[in-house]
Every structure is written in C-alpha cells, then in structure tokens.
Amino acid sequence: MVVAITVLAYVFIPYGYNNQFLLFNMMMYMALAQGLNIIYGYTGYLPFGYVGFFGAGAYGSALVIIYLHWSPFPAVLLGGLAAVLVGMLLIPLFRLSGAYFSIANLAAAEALYYIIANPHLASVTQGPYGISLPQVYDPNAAYWTMLAILVFALILSGLMRRSRFGLALGAIRENPVSAEMAGVNVVRSRAIAWLLSAFIAGVSGAAFGWYISVFYPETVFSLSITVFAIVFVLFGGSGTLLGPLVGTLVLYGAYNYIGISTPQYFQLTYGLLIILLVLFLPSGLTSLLRKRGIDVP
Amino acid sequence: MMKHIASFLLVLFIPALALGTPAKAPGAIRIGALYASSGPFASSSLPQYHGLQFWVNQVNKSGGVLVKAYGKRIPIKLIAYDNQSKTSLAGTLYSQLLTRDKVNMLVADFGSVLTSVAVPLARVHRTLLFDVTGTSARFFTPGNPYIVLTSLPTSGIWPTTLANFLIHRKIRRIALLYSTNDFDDSQAKTLRRKLKAAGITPVYDHGVPSNTSSYAVLIHGIAARRAEAVIELGYPNNDIAFLQDLKASGVHFNLVFTVFPGQLLSLMKKNVGDKVLTWTYTYPTPPLLKHRRINYGPTLADFISSYTRDTRREVNFLTIAGYNAGLIIQKTLETSASLKPLAMRRAIGKFSGRIKTLNGLFKVNTEGAQIGETLPVGQLQRVNGKLRMEVVYPLKVKTAEARYPAPRPTH
C-alpha cells in the first residue's frame, strides 16, 4: 500500500504541481533514505560517507555514456554496479564499529572524491572540470527512472523487513555476538545489506547525474547529501519502511517551503525542528504511533 | 434583411477588431534570480545580486522599463531566492522560478558552478537565461539559443592580453600556477598555447586543487626554477592564500600576476594588505577600469554616486556585473518585438556590438558567449603613498608605464 500510494503520488502530482526538479529531489532523497535505512536502520552501522556511493554511481554512469556511448538506462544500472564495487572495496571497514566505522567511511568517501577530482586523471574522469551530458539530456525519462528506483528501494526495504534475512539483520543490530551464536552469518548478512544499500545510492546518483546533465565532483560528493539522508531517516524513524518516507516528506518539504517562502528564517526554523526532534522524539516520528500500539510498516 | 447585414458586418469587422487589438500588457515583467546569502559563493553572489536589485529599483522609480512589444513602460518584478551556495537547492529554485513563478526571463547566480544547473533547465523550459559571470565555455553550444553571457568574456579569452604583454616585455622564465577548475584551467590553457606560439615554455607549470590554502612549498619550488614572472590563476581564496604566503616567504619575483585584485580590491586589501599588493599585476575591471564613450546607461561615476548614496554599500566589479545584466535586459525589452525568448535573443543579436555600458562593450557570438570585452593588464602602483590601479597594456589604452622588474619591498 505504501508503494502504491507513493507511485500514484509521483505519477499524478506533476499534473498539479510542475516543479519537477523538487519532486525529483524528493524521490531521490526518499530512495537514499531507504538505502541508508537498509544499512543503518536494520544493522545499526551509520555510514557518514554514504555520498561516496552516490558520487560513484553518478560518475560510473556518466563515464560510460561519454566514452562508450551507452544509453542512459543501462548506464544507470552500471552506476549502481560501480557503487557496489566501491562497497566491496570498503567491506573491511566492518572491522570497525560505532563512530570509528562512520568516520572511516567518511574518509573513504573523501578519498574517492579526491581521486575523481584529481586533475591528473582528467583524461579519464574529467577531473575537477565536471561532466556534461547534453547528448542524453532528458529530464522526463530521468524522472520516471528515479520513480522506478524509489519503488525498487521501497519493495526491497519492505521485503527485507518482513523476511528471515531482515530478522537476521535486526539481530546483528542488537548484538552481533549473540546473533552469530544463534546461527546468523554476521559477515555475509552485513555485507549483503551493505552492497544493496550501496546499489540504491549508486543508481540514485546515476539518475541524478542524468537529470541535471551538468555537474562537478563537489556536486555529487557533497557531504550535505549524506547529512540530509541521515537526518530524514532519523526524523522519520529508522528500521521502518514508512519512517524514512515520512521524514523526507516532512523535512525536505519544510526545507523547500521555508527556502522559497521565508529564506531569512531558514537556518533558524530548520535548526529548531531538528533540536525538537532530538529532545522529544529521538526515535523519530513513527515512534509516536508505536507508543500508541499502532504497527508501523 | 437586417439580420443578414448584421451578420455580414460581423464577419467583416471581427477579424479586423482581433487584428487591431494589441495583446494585453502584463502588470509586470517577471525576472527570476538566485543569490547565495551563505556558503562559499556568498561574498561574490551578494554584490552581484545587489547590483541587479539596484537596477530594478532604479527602473521602477522611473515607472518601469519601456517594453517595445507593448509600446509602454511596465514595472519589473524581481523574484529571487536564496540557494545558500548549494547546487542541488539552486536546481530546485531555478525550477520553481520557471514552473511556478512563470518568470519571463532568468538571471543566473554568480559563477559557473551555480550557473551550471540553470543552463539545461532554461533550455528545456525555453526561457532566456542571462548569465552574468558563469564563463565556462561548456554552457555555450550551437544548439542552445537560450543563454546570453552579459558581463565577462568566456574565461579562455581572459589571458589573451596578458600573454601579449609577457611576449612584448620579452619575459621568458615564466611560472604558471593555476587552480584546477574550469575557470582557471581554461585560462592556463590559453596562456600556455599563446606563449608556446611565441617560443616560450613555462619553466614551471603546475595545477593545484581549488581548495589549496598553503602555497609556501610551491612558491619556493617556483623560486628554485629561477622564474622571473609568476602567473597565479585562482579563485579569491587562492589569490589571498598565495599572496599571504608570498609575503611570508620573503621570496621576490620581478612580476607577480593574480586574478582577483582587479575585481575585489577591498577584499584583497583587507586580507593581504597594501604592501604585498603593490606592483602586483591583474586584470583590471570596473570600477578600477573606466570605459570611455559609454552609449547606454549611466557613466561609472554616476553609478557609483547613486549606488553608494541609495544603498550605503561599496561598489565592486560584481555589483557592476549585476547592474550591467539589468542594463542588457532593459535594452532587450526596449528592442524586442515580443517577450518570446527567441525574439528577445534575436533582438540581442541586433544590438550586440553596438552598445557600450559602464561594464564595457557588449558583444556576443552566435552561441551567446561574450566576446566584446577584452581584459587589459593592470598593475597596482603606489602613487603619492596610495595604491592605484594603472592599465599598463595594451599600449593604446595604457595609463602608466609598467614597473618591471617590480622593486623589492623594503622591510
């Protein structure tokens, strides 16, 4: 039902509200929040460098479009695979935990940014001079692709939550040692969740790059992308399907509403919202429903 | 019979009435713009926005802008949003201006990064984009008639006069240090190509990331190559860090060139001081460069006087760039037969090369890139104990002789 409502909303809203860029970004952050939810909400690992996968996807897809003349759809999928490849390289980071994992992950994303933006690699990555994709520019097709990615992320997240695999991840989140002793293959389950999460960020980054068609390394490796995704998950409620959706809808909606109507109060209002969340709703908006005994999907 | 006559008259006159009635004029011309009140682009974006805002206020005080399409004066409504220097938010806000606010035209925010998101959006929504300072050559393509660069030539053209000056002075040991971004790299490429054509190969040629904040090691590296001239191409933060480190190192070069003392002199003075700026070469731009024979808009002196009186703000190049974008819009509306973007673009093509504002000659090529202005070479010289910008090349516009080699600073 959540998936159906989301699809209907993004199919029909453009007929009444035509700021497609805003709707695209909203879908993108919803997909990223779900991707982050898979690794953070279900296993408890918080990757500060989640944007690294997003950037890897944007560049992976753009480079095959430029050099191999791929059409955008397979290129978006390849962007996801590029992020999975980066995710595989980073699997050893799971030897760390808590803040150490988060910081190491952030450093890895920064390293990736500097590799991509290195002027000596300009012949391969276009370096700091940015990517331009006028040959495939098609914002409508990119919009529907982003909707498909969001649907995929929602179905995946929903299935994981209800499945045996999702329960195994929940056990890892609570106590990895006990989970291991109960027969859960911690290393394999965590790696699968990590790579699925990376894939969602990668395809989202690829679709974003296609949608805007001109971007620089700092655009797709901007730390604010990770920060937004984390805040949206926390605000809505991690470990649920609905939480990241509601979090993105409310906070990203407020972000744009305030930014457009009263930009002078932007930082103040947004800061207050987050302080109130931390003080009174540390488990997110969906915890309000759970406290009343309502099952939140 | 009467019924038939009435029908005949109606058939005869209705088309005539329809043809004779001018289209209803809008209550205001809606111009969409973005600015950054925070983040890395704020110090450049705000003066540019204030310049545009000042033009809107001036025009509205006189009853609006004359719109040829309606044969009357119509006020301007400026709709502007704050993008906080974030490209993703800028995209949403440009889209808001195009789709929700239905602006007649867009004015891009400062620089190539914040302009980049506007270029495809303006094209897909068939709205004319007035690009003020986004000088990346990538924006100007043959298939896109929806962009016009108003204030500066594309960055690749900038060092043309500088290269000629170096060749003219027979300076052969040249160090080229540039930030690796679109803006500076395109300048470095042009300079390298022109010097090579004159048989000069830089003794030092090195790109550094745009966020470089320490130049000490690089300066000593350049000194080790016994360079006579150092050309440092960067953003304001790079120029500041470079000049600060040059001062701290005690190393002296016969010629030092940086980009932004000619655009943001107050900012540079505040950060590096007069002493290190003395004898530095740069591209002088208005208000440090005074264009003569202006045939459209106020003179530089009049603009400075009215702007400082009304806003209590200081004028720098970006203020003039923002104001100049307003003047180009004004001329477009005065000469375009309709408000349709392609009609406005055609009108721009017609007055291109014919108007000279306080910002210099406005001339664009078929792709909308500015080619009218050339940036001379200036040197900040000390005259009667005060720092003064003098144009030293080309010879026909020079206001003073270049002091070369630059005198060693006295401690």
Side-chain angles (χ1 to χ4, degrees):
Chain A
M1 191 173 143
V2 171
V3 176
I5 291 171
T6 309
V7 171
L8 286 174
Y10 284 109
V11 167
F12 289 108
I13 287 174
Y15 291 102
Y17 182 80
N18 54 359
N19 187 341
Q20 195 191 53
F21 204 106
L22 194 153
L23 295 173
F24 181 92
N25 274 350
M26 183 81 87
M27 283 194 291
M28 185 189 86
Y29 278 115
M30 281 181 172
L32 283 176
Q34 284 300 342
L36 193 82
N37 195 29
I38 289 173
I39 188 66
Y40 172 63
Y42 296 162
T43 71
Y45 282 85
L46 182 60
F48 276 169
Y50 194 54
V51 71
F53 299 134
F54 184 85
Y59 266 88
S61 119
L63 294 181
V64 293
I65 289 172
I66 292 170
Y67 294 117
L68 303 177
H69 310 292
W70 283 27
S71 68
F73 295 109
V76 167
L77 283 177
L78 190 116
L81 293 178
V84 168
L85 189 68
V86 173
M88 286 169 81
L89 289 173
L90 298 184
I91 282 178
L93 293 184
F94 281 108
R95 290 178 184 178
L96 306 169
S97 61
Y100 298 102
F101 171 81
S102 301
I103 300 293
N105 188 253
L106 177 64
E110 280 292 290
L112 189 60
Y113 162 70
Y114 279 106
I115 290 169
I116 298 277
N118 188 335
H120 297 293
L121 291 176
S123 57
V124 182
T125 64
Q126 317 265 313
Y129 313 117
I131 292 278
S132 181
L133 301 169
Q135 66 274 38
V136 293
Y137 183 57
D138 186 348
N140 288 330
Y143 180 87
W144 298 117
T145 305
M146 194 67 237
L147 180 57
I149 292 167
L150 175 58
V151 169
F152 170 74
L154 287 172
I155 291 174
L156 185 70
S157 183
L159 287 176
M160 280 178 70
R161 190 159 182 266
R162 299 283 177 204
S163 69
R164 191 183 168 83
F165 179 61
L167 292 173
L169 293 179
I172 294 170
R173 180 184 60 206
E174 298 307 323
N175 191 327
V177 178
S178 304
E180 184 91 56
M181 289 174 73
V184 173
N185 188 335
V186 172
V187 174
R188 197 183 67 184
S189 304
R190 213 168 39 191
I192 291 171
W194 175 241
L195 296 180
L196 286 171
S197 176
F199 182 76
I200 291 171
V203 286
S204 301
F208 177 75
W210 180 23
Y211 187 82
I212 61 170
S213 87
V214 180
F215 61 89
Y216 294 86
E218 52 267 46
T219 313
V220 291
F221 284 96
S222 165
L223 189 59
S224 67
I225 294 173
T226 300
V227 173
F228 275 150
I230 291 173
V231 170
F232 297 157
V233 171
L234 293 175
F235 190 82
S238 62
T240 64
L241 180 65
L242 199 61
L245 279 182
V246 173
T248 311
L249 187 69
V250 173
L251 274 191
Y252 196 67
Y255 177 77
N256 283 286
Y257 178 76
I258 301 164
I260 289 165
S261 61
T262 48
Q264 65 274 32
Y265 300 122
F266 180 80
Q267 270 93 351
L268 178 71
T269 318
Y270 215 62
L272 279 174
L273 264 176
I274 292 170
I275 290 170
L276 289 173
L277 164 81
V278 173
L279 287 177
F280 301 109
L281 282 173
S283 303
L285 284 179
T286 49
S287 64
L288 284 175
L289 297 173
R290 279 202 297 264
K291 274 181 196 163
R292 289 161 196 235
I294 300 167
D295 180 40
V296 180
Chain B
M1 183 66 186
M2 284 303 285
K3 204 173 159 184
H4 282 100
I5 292 170
S7 305
F8 175 75
L9 288 173
L10 275 174
V11 169
L12 197 70
F13 285 108
I14 283 175
L17 284 170
L19 284 173
T21 310
K24 194 170 177 268
I29 301 292
R30 298 160 76 84
I31 297 178
L34 296 192
Y35 61 92
S37 72
S38 55
F41 299 112
S43 61
S44 304
S45 169
L46 281 176
Q48 180 179 303
Y49 174 63
H50 290 148
L52 179 70
Q53 209 176 27
F54 179 71
W55 168 77
V56 172
N57 293 340
Q58 292 284 90
V59 162
N60 285 344
K61 261 189 220 166
S62 59
V65 65
L66 181 64
V67 182
K68 185 188 174 189
Y70 300 103
K72 62 187 274 196
R73 285 191 176 274
I74 300 176
I76 299 284
K77 184 174 182 194
L78 180 63
I79 306 169
Y81 299 125
D82 180 4
N83 60 42
Q84 300 163 47
S85 301
K86 289 177 184 153
T87 43
S88 173
L89 182 59
T92 305
L93 296 173
Y94 281 126
S95 185
Q96 176 79 8
L97 290 165
L98 291 163
T99 59
R100 308 298 298 166
D101 301 316
K102 308 232 180 276
V103 294
N104 298 102
M105 58 198 76
L106 267 187
V107 177
D109 198 350
F110 165 81
S112 294
V113 172
L114 293 174
T115 302
S116 66
V117 270
V119 179
L121 281 172
R123 186 178 180 180
V124 83
H125 289 281
R126 294 189 170 86
T127 302
L128 196 56
L129 172 70
F130 289 87
D131 171 4
V132 188
T133 44
T135 55
S136 170
R138 281 165 204 264
F139 302 159
F140 308 95
T141 50
N144 183 12
Y146 298 99
I147 183 169
V148 173
L149 180 56
T150 60
S151 289
L152 288 166
T154 47
S155 43
I157 297 174
W158 289 32
T160 308
T161 314
L162 171 64
N164 292 339
F165 172 69
L166 294 168
I167 296 162
H168 170 77
R169 299 293 307 209
K170 296 187 174 60
I171 302 168
R172 301 196 69 83
R173 300 195 66 82
I174 298 166
L176 180 56
L177 176 62
Y178 59 96
S179 298
T180 48
N181 55 60
D182 234 3
F183 170 67
D184 295 304
D185 186 67
S186 56
Q187 292 182 66
K189 273 186 187 142
T190 305
L191 192 59
R192 201 179 291 127
R193 194 183 64 242
K194 289 198 168 284
L195 292 177
K196 199 177 170 189
I200 301 169
T201 305
V203 292
Y204 183 95
D205 189 344
H206 193 67
V208 294
S210 302
N211 58 1
T212 300
S213 56
S214 173
Y215 283 84
V217 174
L218 297 163
I219 288 167
H220 285 286
I222 293 168
R225 301 284 177 96
R226 292 184 290 111
E228 297 168 89
V230 184
I231 313 297
E232 189 273 323
L233 306 168
Y235 281 135
N237 55 323
N238 302 110
D239 290 3
I240 289 168
F242 170 78
L243 289 170
Q244 282 174 340
D245 284 352
L246 182 65
K247 184 182 173 187
S249 69
V251 174
H252 176 75
F253 297 104
N254 290 344
L255 183 154
V256 172
F257 179 96
T258 62
V259 176
F260 281 92
Q263 291 187 29
L264 303 169
L265 187 58
S266 297
L267 179 80
M268 301 300 289
K269 276 181 172 180
K270 211 180 289 173
N271 283 280
V272 302
D274 281 18
K275 207 167 185 178
V276 72
L277 283 170
T278 310
W279 314 120
T280 297
Y281 292 78
T282 186
Y283 303 120
T285 56
L288 299 171
L289 179 70
K290 291 164 188 67
H291 289 289
R292 296 181 196 130
R293 291 189 287 280
I294 288 168
N295 61 15
Y296 194 74
T299 62
L300 182 63
D302 289 345
F303 170 74
I304 292 173
S305 144
S306 54
Y307 182 83
T308 45
R309 186 188 62 230
D310 289 7
T311 66
R312 307 261 170 233
R313 290 192 185 108
E314 190 185 73
V315 172
N316 65 24
F317 168 70
L318 293 164
T319 322
I320 292 171
Y323 181 78
N324 185 62
L327 289 179
I328 301 303
I329 291 171
Q330 185 173 337
K331 183 72 180 172
T332 307
L333 292 169
E334 282 170 359
T335 54
S336 175
S338 96
L339 286 187
K340 287 185 180 153
L342 293 181
M344 290 198 281
R345 184 67 184 79
R346 275 194 296 276
I348 290 168
K350 281 182 188 159
F351 68 73
S352 159
R354 293 179 183 180
I355 65 165
K356 196 168 182 185
T357 67
L358 73 169
N359 194 56
L361 179 69
F362 172 79
K363 188 176 180 183
V364 288
N365 65 12
T366 51
E367 290 155 13
Q370 169 77 263
I371 51 169
E373 291 186 46
T374 51
L375 295 170
V377 178
Q379 187 180 30
L380 286 161
Q381 299 188 349
R382 191 161 284 280
V383 181
N384 300 327
K386 282 191 175 173
L387 206 56
R388 204 162 87 181
M389 177 67 74
E390 299 288 0
V391 176
V392 294
Y393 200 82
L395 301 175
K396 61 179 179 185
V397 294
K398 75 171 184 183
T399 56
E401 274 301 326
R403 282 292 296 273
Y404 182 85
R408 284 186 174 273
T410 48
H411 293 285

